[in-house]
Amino acid sequence: MKRTLPKVAQEVLKILKKDRTRFYSTRELSTYFDVSPYGIHQAANELRDWGYVIEEGKGKSYRLKDLPDVLLPHDISENLHTRVVGKEIHAYKALKSTNELAYRLAREDAPEGTLVISDHQTKGKGRMGRGWLSPPKVGLWLSLVLRPPIPPARAPAISVCTGLALASSVREMTQLDARIKWPNDCVIQGKKVAGVLLELSAELDKIDFVILGVGINVNQDKQAFPKSLVKKATSLKMELGEEVDRLKLLKLFLENFEKVYSEFLQNGLERLRRDINGLSSLLGKEIKVRFGKKTLKGEAKDINEDGGLIIRTKQGEKVISAGEVALL
Ligand code: BTN
């Protein structure tokens, strides 16, 4: 069920958030906007329904004691410094897959930048037809609807841009050494902390829309991962030793993504390339790439203008636009 907090409750919340140590009287709250004391009382109850802990003090006054541990649209849009990304938000407690819903919304003309986010995915999708574990309240599971005016062949560059926005956001927020593992995984000490799934609806020469799915493992403990993944996957909490504020990280990612994406739409990867290579976990290393039934070995050299990986092999330089990479 899509959730929207009623306007009065949103306004009351804004005021209560200003100072969480003090009680605001009903009279004071109702002077901020034209609402009856009963309206304020109702708003407090609505906020409680959404999981906010609202304490009642003397003479019908209210204080915000705690925030709910879920991602809500009004919290996401508050102080979000973007022009397009996340301007329309569809937030859910649980969904099968945010990519799946975003795809449906895009077909119904959802605008560029529409964000679909869910606290839990029951059937999260990963690359290569795999699943993506998305337990409740510990990660960021989101999709963006994009409508880039570029030919489909250039779409993989958007994945690479997303990898850059992810690694930069994680570094900025945690100071951990997050890196981009081409094409778009975000890794810490070689373990995957975030992944990107790009789905396309296009004609031969024109993209109709792109669904950019992003999964970030934020606050999982080791036990949240099955044995088969423990060596390959990690969460920010596991690396940092403390919980990370999901809302803050989400906003940072949305802002960083918008910057990188608009730079890409204006100038291609030309200027971004230096940053991408600077944060690459592969550059200069001997790697093995599997694409389809083929395997290629060589040294990771650079990325080209479409985000393809340039590899120096014994047979000369080769470029691949998709595949699974492993360090040798
Ligand atoms: C990968 O395999 O590396 C890509 C994982 C992408 C997972 C995200 S979570 C949000 C979005 N919705 C999905 O169903 N998948 C993507």
Side-chain angles (χ1 to χ4, degrees), residues 22-30 40 59-62:
R22 67 171 268 223
F23 285 93
Y24 290 82
S25 73
T26 304
R27 173 145 7 122
E28 187 181 355
L29 288 169
S30 53
I40 300 292
K60 285 250 170 285
S61 58
Y62 299 98

Side-chain angles (χ1 to χ4, degrees), residues 75-324:
D75 289 330
I76 299 170
S77 43
E78 194 180 351
N79 295 323
L80 176 67
H81 302 294
T82 56
R83 274 187 324 105
V84 180
V85 171
K87 287 294 152 191
E88 183 170 318
I89 301 175
H90 298 252
Y92 292 78
K93 248 187 185 159
L95 271 184
K96 258 163 93 179
S97 151
T98 55
N99 261 40
E100 192 183 276
L101 178 63
Y103 202 96
R104 225 170 57 219
L105 293 172
R107 278 180 32 195
E108 292 159 9
D109 288 336
E112 161 121 317
T114 298
L115 167 69
V116 179
I117 185 158
S118 184
D119 278 306
H120 175 200
Q121 290 187 122
T122 53
K123 218 170 169 199
K125 298 197 279 183
R127 291 174 63 215
M128 320 260 174
R130 290 189 282 246
W132 181 263
L133 269 185
S134 323
K137 297 186 181 182
V138 288
L140 288 171
W141 326 125
L142 64 105
S143 303
L144 291 171
V145 175
L146 303 176
R147 299 185 181 278
I150 55 170
R154 300 197 63 211
I158 299 177
S159 304
V160 181
C161 289
T162 312
L164 173 61
L166 274 170
S168 325
S169 306
V170 169
R171 294 174 86 89
E172 201 175 325
M173 177 100 184
T174 65
Q175 276 79 53
L176 289 165
D177 185 24
R179 299 202 156 258
I180 310 162
K181 182 173 167 230
W182 185 91
N184 48 33
D185 287 353
C186 175
V187 295
I188 299 175
Q189 310 295 346
K191 287 187 174 184
K192 179 158 165 172
V193 77
V196 177
L197 174 66
L198 206 72
E199 295 187 286
L200 215 64
S201 166
E203 288 158 33
L204 264 182
D205 56 345
K206 186 182 151 287
I207 289 180
D208 181 16
F209 59 80
V210 168
I211 303 302
L212 178 70
V214 176
I216 313 179
N217 297 328
V218 185
N219 286 326
Q220 285 102 320
D221 293 312
K222 198 173 167 187
Q223 305 82 270
F225 295 99
K227 273 212 179 87
S228 57
L229 282 185
V230 166
K231 280 201 179 129
K232 295 189 221 156
T234 189
S235 75
L236 296 178
K237 182 182 173 190
M238 281 157 68
E239 297 303 313
L240 199 64
E242 61 185 55
E243 294 226 339
V244 169
D245 185 333
R246 286 189 305 152
L247 185 62
K248 217 163 143 191
L249 178 62
L250 169 66
K251 292 188 192 188
L252 191 59
F253 168 71
L254 296 175
E255 289 170 2
N256 282 336
F257 175 75
E258 182 169 283
K259 279 185 211 144
V260 173
Y261 177 61
S262 33
E263 166 62 28
F264 165 68
L265 291 184
Q266 271 174 38
N267 303 308
L269 290 182
E270 178 92 23
R271 290 189 217 161
L272 294 167
R273 197 145 142 197
R274 218 190 52 206
D275 294 343
I276 295 168
N277 281 338
L279 289 185
S280 166
S281 70
L282 302 177
L283 217 70
K285 302 211 169 116
E286 290 297 318
I287 58 165
K288 185 169 86 179
V289 190
R290 266 202 356 234
F291 53 108
K293 285 187 179 141
K294 291 193 186 145
T295 308
L296 207 66
K297 284 183 188 171
E299 186 197 331
K301 284 297 298 170
D302 199 349
I303 51 161
N304 73 4
E305 64 276 15
D306 294 331
L309 183 65
I310 304 174
I311 308 170
R312 184 192 287 152
T313 71
K314 281 187 182 146
Q315 292 76 39
E317 282 197 351
K318 306 253 177 221
V319 180
I320 51 157
S321 57
E324 289 273 285

